[in-house]
Amino acid sequence: MIKFADLLLQLYSMVLLARVIISFIKIDPKQPAVRFLAKITDPVLDPIRKFIPPTGGFDFSVLIVFLLIQFIRAVLQG
């Protein structure tokens, strides 16, 4: 069960990374893949953005979620 949770967290990290890469490339937000990534990441990122809005064109919410995922993975593995 712990390995499955760890796998899901790794996959979600990859989805977040894809979202970051797409934001740098400036792909049309109407593309289905971009909308899909937004649909599965925005519910996690939006609450953090309420407290820490994007600053200077950089969205710190993604970094915070990455750090939270790494913390959870460390707790699960330890």
Side-chain angles (χ1 to χ4, degrees):
M1 187 73 149
I2 292 175
K3 287 185 179 184
F4 181 70
D6 186 55
L7 177 64
L8 288 178
L9 290 169
Q10 281 182 304
L11 290 172
Y12 199 77
S13 292
M14 289 182 217
V15 169
L16 284 171
L17 181 60
R19 173 107 189 240
V20 169
I21 291 169
I22 285 174
S23 73
F24 284 125
I25 298 174
K26 304 287 186 198
I27 295 177
D28 181 13
K30 295 178 184 175
Q31 292 290 331
V34 177
R35 286 195 328 240
F36 173 75
L37 289 175
K39 186 176 181 178
I40 60 176
T41 57
D42 281 346
V44 174
L45 297 174
D46 285 345
I48 296 170
R49 287 180 182 140
K50 288 180 183 176
F51 294 104
I52 305 172
T55 306
F58 189 76
D59 187 1
F60 289 101
S61 64
V62 175
L63 179 62
I64 292 169
V65 171
F66 271 126
L67 292 173
L68 285 172
I69 288 173
Q70 294 308 314
F71 175 76
I72 293 168
R73 288 185 67 213
V75 168
L76 287 175
Q77 293 172 358

